[in-house]
Amino acid sequence: MARTEKRNQNLMNLIKRVHSVVENADIEKHRQSQDYFGALLGNSKETTVKAVRVGEMYGEWIAVNRTHMKKHVILYCHGGGYSTGSSQYARTLTTKLAMSTSMDVFSFDYRLAPEHPYPAAVEDAVAAWDYLMLLGYGARDVVIAGDSAGGNLALALTFKLKEEERLLPRGLVLMSPWTDLTSSGKSYENKKEVDPVLGEEYIGQMIQNYASGQDLENPLISPVFGDFEGFPSTYIQVGDNEMLLNDATLLHKKMVKANVPVKIDIFKGMWHVFQMSPFKTAYEAMDKNAEFIYDICR
């Protein structure tokens, strides 16, 4: 047990070092660093990447190089606090998702803040959804997945579809979702010393970039404040060493109350979007994502 904890501590220290490399005051350099890490850790001989344009927006398909399921597809929303991140950065997750599910994964580069604050990302997510519908997928053929701010966007997109009285996706897969920009959860306080990735200043800056002057309780900005009635099956993963722990647990509680078929797994000793890291627990978490997706796509 002590050995496992020591290994986790070493991994967290490594993540902290990696994150401090990309935590650059120059946001453009920060974005380039993340793309570099994505290119470094997200390449796999088992998958192919096909670039497409959706209007002005870049998107990419990740597919496994073997016979695989074509009927269902995963729409992936990348993280990065709405200010950074890209499809390339998300390959550390999308390639694992494609390999574990044997499904095609479509991810897209929504416009980033502060140049493009709310609602730009939500508008672009709707455009990505519409692109899949135009290709001939039905709403029930699509599972929306996302990490961190991408988990926020997956929920916001579902709220937007509900608002427009459109059909909702088959399910949602959320890794360390950022659901509450009012930062009301206790974990913002009691996990800030142990969280190796996120900090108060960083989160504050991301909120300022994306939602300055907005009502932070708008469900399209902080989905935890929304009405989840009629929402599709949802699976949430979160680490117990992260400031966003309560963003996930409060979301789970709200969904249970609204009778949404929802499940949460809290990973002991893990940190924000630990699934990106190349180690055993990350692959096990991805297998759990795949099991959930198989279950709902039967």
Side-chain angles (χ1 to χ4, degrees):
M1 191 66 189
R3 188 184 291 174
T4 305
E5 280 176 16
K6 188 169 190 324
R7 194 197 61 209
N8 284 353
Q9 194 56 53
N10 290 342
L11 269 165
M12 286 203 293
N13 289 339
L14 177 65
I15 294 291
K16 198 162 202 163
R17 284 207 301 276
V18 166
H19 198 70
S20 67
V21 175
V22 299
E23 281 298 4
N24 197 300
D26 180 337
I27 205 163
E28 208 42 62
K29 278 190 185 157
H30 185 155
R31 291 168 183 169
Q32 284 164 10
S33 301
Q34 286 184 328
D35 282 348
Y36 172 74
F37 283 117
L40 204 64
L41 296 174
N43 281 341
S44 166
K45 288 183 179 139
E46 290 182 57
T47 56
T48 55
V49 179
K50 182 187 166 200
V52 294
R53 303 299 303 184
V54 177
E56 295 294 302
M57 182 167 65
Y58 173 83
E60 61 185 39
W61 285 96
I62 312 276
V64 284
N65 302 319
R66 59 175 185 264
T67 307
H68 61 283
M69 201 187 288
K70 290 285 192 187
K71 178 173 165 45
H72 296 102
V73 68
I74 297 165
L75 175 62
Y76 197 82
C77 305
H78 72 75
Y82 280 121
S83 294
T84 67
S86 65
S87 298
Q88 186 166 323
Y89 181 50
R91 280 182 207 164
T92 51
L93 296 161
T94 53
T95 53
K96 284 180 191 159
L97 210 43
M99 288 187 286
S100 62
T101 59
S102 292
M103 289 182 193
D104 289 349
V105 179
F106 179 69
S107 84
F108 58 101
D109 286 4
Y110 53 85
R111 286 167 292 165
L112 297 173
E115 301 93 325
H116 304 283
Y118 172 83
V122 182
E123 291 167 354
D124 291 348
V126 171
W129 176 266
D130 289 344
Y131 163 74
L132 293 181
M133 298 303 105
L134 282 169
L135 286 183
Y137 290 102
R140 303 285 295 159
D141 302 328
V142 182
V143 174
I144 307 178
D147 67 283
S148 193
N152 179 309
L153 188 55
L155 290 161
L157 170 57
T158 309
F159 274 126
K160 195 72 187 158
L161 295 170
K162 186 181 167 186
E163 192 184 281
E164 293 175 359
E165 297 183 356
R166 297 174 68 179
L167 293 175
L168 302 185
R170 182 168 284 268
L172 298 172
V173 172
L174 310 171
M175 291 172 272
S176 300
W178 187 29
T179 67
D180 180 7
L181 274 68
T182 72
S183 309
S184 67
K186 285 179 183 161
S187 56
Y188 280 92
E189 213 35 60
N190 61 28
K191 294 292 179 182
K192 68 180 177 188
E193 297 307 320
V194 291
D195 191 322
V197 176
L198 301 173
E200 270 183 300
E201 196 181 337
Y202 172 77
I203 291 170
Q205 188 59 58
M206 297 302 103
I207 295 166
Q208 176 70 22
N209 287 355
Y210 184 61
S212 179
Q214 299 286 345
D215 171 12
L216 296 183
E217 292 190 11
N218 173 355
L220 297 179
I221 291 172
S222 295
V224 79
F225 295 105
D227 171 8
F228 293 97
E229 192 188 337
F231 252 57
S233 296
T234 300
Y235 177 44
I236 306 162
Q237 292 183 342
V238 68
D240 74 348
N241 273 351
E242 56 173 301
M243 288 173 74
L244 299 194
L245 173 60
N246 289 152
D247 279 45
T249 57
L250 290 169
L251 173 70
H252 178 251
K253 267 187 199 156
K254 290 284 294 275
M255 286 185 151
V256 167
K257 216 176 234 184
N259 295 315
V260 175
V262 60
K263 184 185 177 217
I264 187 169
D265 276 327
I266 300 170
F267 290 79
K268 191 167 168 42
M270 292 296 111
W271 50 86
H272 189 61
V273 201
F274 66 89
Q275 298 88 338
M276 276 189 170
S277 310
F279 71 111
K280 191 169 173 267
T281 311
Y283 290 102
E284 286 169 354
M286 277 300 178
D287 287 343
K288 281 175 171 279
N289 283 331
E291 279 168 31
F292 168 78
I293 290 169
Y294 289 149
D295 277 351
I296 64 170
C297 288
R298 264 186 223 158

